[in-house]
Amino acid sequence: MSSELRMETADAAPAFARGDASLVMAHVLFAYAALLIGGIAGVLQGLVRGGMITLPAGIGYYQVLTAHGVLMALIFTTFFIIGFLYSGVVRTTGELSPLSRKLGWTGFALMSVGTVLGTIMILLNQATVLYTFYAPMKASPWFYIALALVVVGSWVCGFGLFRQYRLWKRANPGKVTPLMAFMAVVVMLLWLVATLGVAATVLLQFIPWSFGWTETIDVMISRTLFWYFGHPLVYFWLLPAYMCWYVVIPKVIGGKIFSDAMARLAFLLFLLFSVPVGFHHQLMEPGISPVWKYVQVVLTFMVVVPTLMTAFAMFATFELSGREK
């Protein structure tokens, strides 16, 4: 057996169990269905904006714009990333435990119901508030309930990942956690912490207000809580790509990652720096102290630290691999 074949055999991961593969593919296929519908809405939006077509009576420009933003920015990314994280965890820690798989399917069901309900409200023109759903624009309470179902469902999926990680640690005392599994847990922790803001504003402000249980809503608090979520959402989108850079690219080029410890530290720094700086999306809004805005801008630039660490690690990986060859 050649040395290349021995290395390939040693690095080979166990095949996916049927139930685990079905769970991953369910998330990915649902994500692409949302991408298709959201993409169609985006094309219609662009054609209307360019003056090339006129939408039929009863369909508004901001209606298709809301569908485009919600389905592509929130639904497509969330379903796809969770499916990707589950695939990475299964690949590196082994078959999911029955409870972890059950949590994954339960979360998928909640998110799916929330997505269908929210899309129906948008198509009925009862939720034309864009994906930021800024107050004082008001949607049907069922749209906000749909958002809550998507968020809660994603939490349930996250708990399944956390449990699988914990079981691996218990079964492998003293061993270093597989890098892919470690990164998946960090990404889900970022999502969990970030979505606390949007969950709070939806449950405590928008749902009571849209049902008419309260007469007013604090616009500034609602926007601040949204951007507490909206800024780290960008890193929730980005970090799976970083996972591929750190884990997949070294295998593709036949090398080794420059520093496993640096990769883990970079992800922890993203978790630390990405959540508390959403105020830089509100620099033009009144009601927030200029001093606090300045502090937020300074903290925002701290994200450059793990970004540059990642760039250095990638080029160092290429350099070492090239020298070995």
Side-chain angles (χ1 to χ4, degrees):
M1 182 183 292
S2 67
S3 60
E4 291 83 4
L5 185 57
R6 284 197 300 270
M7 180 181 297
E8 183 179 358
T9 303
D11 291 340
F16 276 44
R18 186 181 186 124
D20 298 342
S22 298
L23 176 61
V24 171
M25 290 306 300
H27 282 84
V28 172
L29 292 177
F30 197 101
Y32 278 111
L35 177 65
L36 174 62
I37 300 173
I40 293 173
V43 171
L44 292 176
Q45 166 211 340
L47 294 176
V48 172
R49 188 73 172 176
M52 300 176 66
I53 65 170
T54 301
L55 292 172
I59 302 179
Y61 170 79
Y62 290 103
Q63 187 177 358
V64 294
L65 180 57
T66 300
H68 172 66
V70 170
L71 290 173
M72 296 192 71
L74 298 179
I75 301 303
F76 164 68
T77 55
T78 302
F79 273 86
F80 184 89
I81 292 172
I82 290 178
F84 173 75
L85 297 181
Y86 263 98
S87 70
V89 168
V90 171
R91 193 74 171 173
T92 54
T93 66
E95 183 177 353
L96 292 174
S97 70
L99 180 55
S100 295
R101 189 181 297 125
K102 184 176 181 179
L103 288 171
W105 279 115
T106 302
F108 172 79
L110 289 173
M111 290 195 298
S112 300
V113 170
T115 299
V116 172
L117 179 59
T119 303
I120 290 174
M121 291 299 103
I122 294 171
L123 295 178
L124 292 177
N125 205 21
Q126 296 183 23
T128 308
V129 292
L130 309 185
Y131 94 97
T132 52
F133 54 90
Y134 268 6
M137 293 188 293
K138 183 189 294 187
S140 164
W142 297 107
F143 174 73
Y144 301 120
I145 291 173
L147 292 178
L149 286 173
V150 172
V151 171
V152 172
S154 69
W155 290 351
V156 175
C157 289
F159 296 150
L161 286 175
F162 298 153
R163 174 173 173 76
Q164 185 70 13
Y165 180 84
R166 180 185 176 189
L167 290 176
W168 189 94
K169 293 289 287 184
R170 183 185 299 171
N172 299 272
K175 292 185 178 180
V176 178
T177 309
L179 182 59
M180 191 76 163
F182 174 85
M183 290 178 167
V185 168
V186 172
V187 173
M188 278 309 305
L189 280 174
L190 185 150
W191 173 260
L192 180 61
V193 174
T195 49
L196 290 175
V198 73
T201 188
V202 166
L203 294 175
L204 302 179
Q205 290 187 295
F206 281 95
I207 290 179
W209 177 55
S210 59
F211 270 118
W213 301 337
T214 59
E215 295 183 1
T216 60
I217 188 172
D218 192 311
V219 173
M220 180 55 65
I221 291 179
S222 68
R223 292 187 178 189
T224 301
L225 288 173
F226 176 84
W227 285 116
Y228 173 87
F229 154 76
H231 175 73
L233 173 65
V234 175
Y235 296 100
F236 179 68
W237 298 338
L238 176 65
L239 289 182
Y242 279 32
M243 293 170 66
C244 291
W245 294 352
Y246 277 116
V247 178
V248 178
I249 286 182
K251 293 183 178 296
V252 170
I253 65 176
K256 294 182 179 180
I257 187 172
F258 170 71
S259 172
D260 182 276
M262 177 180 285
R264 295 172 193 265
L265 177 59
F267 266 63
L268 290 176
L269 290 178
F270 272 116
L271 176 62
L272 177 64
F273 291 138
S274 65
V275 173
V277 292
F279 278 176
H280 74 249
H281 291 273
Q282 299 175 276
L283 294 180
M284 301 302 294
E285 293 190 12
I288 301 175
S289 168
V291 174
W292 187 239
K293 290 179 181 179
Y294 176 78
V295 171
Q296 290 276 299
V297 170
V298 172
L299 289 174
T300 299
F301 283 105
M302 293 300 293
V303 180
V304 76
V305 175
T307 301
L308 291 178
M309 290 171 60
T310 299
F312 173 82
M314 289 298 98
F315 286 117
T317 299
F318 298 150
E319 173 74 10
L320 293 176
S321 178
R323 288 181 179 274
E324 288 178 358
K325 293 181 185 304

